[in-house]
């Protein structure tokens, strides 16, 4: 039942991730452009250049806000990662041995090494 729940959550998050790949790419491109425009804005000395870069930066900022559903895609990718980690988790089974001489043999082998 636990695996079925993980499969269901993983399937839903995979569908959400696939449906938001476009906005994620647009968000990434707009943020990279915004970064380079900001760097140029800080480098330039002319007032006209700063005004022009500020206007272009404002439009690209609006484009990046328009791609805000990409954040949902990032969250879906993180949930998919958590499901993957949980699915491949190894369960450790501790078996208590009732034979008292097994522990003695282990300790004896450790002493002889």
């Amino acid at each position: 039942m636990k695996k079925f729940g993980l499969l269901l959550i993983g399937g839903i998050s995979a569908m959400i991730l696939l449906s938001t790949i476009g906005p994620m790419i647009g968000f990434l491109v707009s943020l990279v452009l915004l970064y380079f425009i900001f760097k140029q804005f800080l480098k330039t000395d002319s007032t006209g250049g700063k005004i022009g870069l500020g206007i272009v930066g404002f439009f690209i900022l609006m484009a990046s806000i328009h791609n805000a559903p990409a954040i949902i895609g990032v969250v879906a990718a993180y949930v998919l990662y958590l499901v993957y980690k949980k699915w491949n988790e190894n369960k450790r089974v501790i078996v208590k041995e009732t034979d008292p001489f097994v522990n003695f043999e282990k300790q004896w082998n450790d002493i002889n090494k």
Side-chain angles (χ1 to χ4, degrees):
M1 190 67 176
K2 184 178 180 182
K3 295 279 186 177
F4 178 73
L6 288 174
L7 185 67
L8 185 67
I9 292 171
I12 291 171
S13 61
M15 286 189 295
I16 291 172
L17 179 64
L18 287 176
S19 68
T20 58
I21 283 186
M24 287 172 67
I25 292 171
F27 189 67
L28 181 67
V29 168
S30 64
L31 286 181
V32 167
L33 286 173
L34 194 62
Y35 172 74
F36 285 122
I37 287 174
F38 182 72
K39 283 183 70 173
Q40 284 300 114
F41 180 81
L42 293 178
K43 285 182 186 177
T44 189
D45 292 330
S46 68
T47 306
K50 285 194 182 229
I51 290 173
L53 285 173
I55 291 171
V56 172
F58 176 74
F59 285 129
I60 292 179
L61 179 67
M62 290 298 117
S64 65
I65 290 173
H66 176 71
N67 289 320
I71 297 171
I72 296 171
V74 172
V75 171
Y78 181 69
V79 168
L80 196 60
Y81 171 74
L82 290 178
V83 166
Y84 176 76
K85 292 283 281 185
K86 200 69 155 167
W87 186 279
N88 292 330
E89 187 176 78
N90 292 333
K91 292 185 179 179
R92 295 184 181 192
V93 178
I94 299 173
V95 177
K96 286 190 174 184
E97 304 205 15
T98 58
D99 188 15
F101 296 106
V102 172
N103 192 22
F104 174 75
E105 292 293 329
K106 287 180 189 176
Q107 289 178 351
W108 185 258
N109 288 333
D110 288 340
I111 291 173
N112 287 333
K113 287 183 182 180

